[in-house]
Amino acid sequence: MIPNRSSYYLTTPIYYVNDVPHLGTAYTTIAADVMARYRRMSGHDVVFLTGLDEHGQKIEQAATAAGYTPQEWVDKLAPAFKETWEMLGISYDIFMRTTSDEHRRAVQEFARRLYDSGDIYSGSYEGWYCVPDEAYWAPGDLDMEDVGDGKEDAVPNCPDCSRSLQFVREKNWFFRLSNYADFLLQWYADNPQALQPETRRNEILSFIRSGLHDLSISRANVKWGIPLPWTEGTDDAQTMYVWFDALINYLTGIGFGADDEASAAEFAYRWPAQVHYVGKDITRFHCIIWPAMLYAAGLPLPQQVFAHGFLLTKGEKMSKSKGNAKTPRELVERLGVDGYRYYFLRDVVFGSDGSISDEAMVQRFNGDLANDWGNLVSRLFSMVGKYCDEVVPAYVGDPLTEGAEGAVLRDIADGLFEQVEDAYNRFDYSGALKEIWELVRAANRYLEDSAPWGLAKNADSDLEAAARLANVLYSALEAVRTIALFTAPTMPATADEVMSRLELSPATTVVDLQREAQWGQLPAGNKVTKGDPLFQRLDV
Ligand code: ME8
């Protein structure tokens, strides 16, 4: 019996394919991956979507500048994302590309619905546009000193990314976003979990209260996009605004817009999503435009958007445009995949901005991983090798009775599932790891305090010492098994390695974590393999 067997659909943003993945995009993707793995291990029927945002002016320009057609360009760059996600152990189920035929169909179907319901009208846009962010900016959002008289003669900078805006004056098609302000305010009042953390919700609410403008959803002069269906083939053909196109990917991935029954059933089962992971830079798109689009189309709204903070290096947002972005590969070479995943989730509080530095990486790696976790496994396993012929000793008596040998560890382990589950429900990755480390540290202390090496000296002649030795080692091994299970979402390869050194099936395939983590299930007689250190200390 698998508990909680229900759909759990989660997504990352689909990233612009104009460059290779960097630490920021990897950060969101790893966080989502850890959640996907955790939910799978708790029995949920998970679908995890990531992918690429391939249309729009910015891609069109980048392709042209590089001497490629846009399609050649995106085809050339897309594999780098898949390779990076593979390197980082990302267990995505769906890799969306917005240039796919299914997506084009889904976007056209969606637009058609809004057009038929009267939510789309023709108008003209005159104002500023940020090509790198693919975002329109209303005059009220801009620094008016920069703007001059509001026309082309003075070029303001983007309030978000600080790069120069472009003046756009064109006839295009608008979505009646302004009609949905009251609906959105009510939605967030009724569903406070729908946008987390709370600081982001407050920002969005005050933005909505300050008044929403209708949104231009098409571009007259951008060729690289999905054609607006009712203009296709006419002299006034337009392409879809890239954000309108991109957001719909969350529907395409699970069957929206396909005309077969299986897809329709899949869509009905999967939608709405449990959570969209986004960075705080794209909250407005996901928490104003997207829910209004869905509501207008008669579709349910996602249960939650979680907007995390920025990774900062030396106090500045790390980004491709600032040239201060390292590649994941550089860090993986140093920290290994699991060390990399651990560092970002343990050291940066998910939801807040977080500074990252080489010093902090080395400190975490050497302290938490090489010393605490790695050392626990290597000294314990070598003791089992020496004192127990490399097999799990049988516990003498009942490890579950009150005050039994190892009860200090058992008590922590018993409370762990609830604490970790609670932390994941709050997206508190760092908190979940901190709880797990209580057990890691307690197990190290326990070995110190019970000194198996002393017990081993007398074990041949003293039955009581022999029994205690078995029980101490069994308890510490049971703690190691528990830690491997709970760290598996964050450090899957290491967890599976530890399980295999205990002759157990992989932690990552568990589907009932709570049951598997119950104390006392490690079978006596299993072979224990010492193996190499899990983490080699790094030079400072
Ligand atoms: O916005 N710290 O794509 P994008 C943390 N295509 N996260 C960061 C980061 C940083 N310094 N820099 C980037 C787009 N990110 C659109 C999305 S979705 C329908 C369309 C992460 O390639 C963070 O998740 O610019 C941010 O939201 C995302 O990368 C932006 O990726």
Side-chain angles (χ1 to χ4, degrees), residues 12-19 22-29 51-54 58 81 98 132-134 242-243 245-250 277-283 285-286 290 308-313 316-320 324-325 353-354:
T12 70
I14 50 167
Y15 304 109
Y16 290 124
V17 68
N18 58 334
D19 204 346
H22 58 85
L23 298 192
T25 46
Y27 178 60
T28 319
T29 311
L52 297 174
D53 191 352
E54 303 189 325
K58 147 155 123 172
F81 281 83
T98 56
D133 285 350
E134 298 280 16
V242 63
W243 268 100
D245 158 349
L247 287 161
I248 295 168
N249 95 87
Y250 301 135
Y277 278 78
V278 298
K280 68 179 185 181
D281 50 335
I282 55 175
T283 321
F285 298 98
H286 283 81
W290 181 225
H308 66 69
F310 288 148
L311 299 179
L312 310 173
T313 41
E316 263 202 279
K317 182 190 174 199
M318 217 196 50
S319 71
K320 290 175 275 196
N324 60 357
D353 288 351

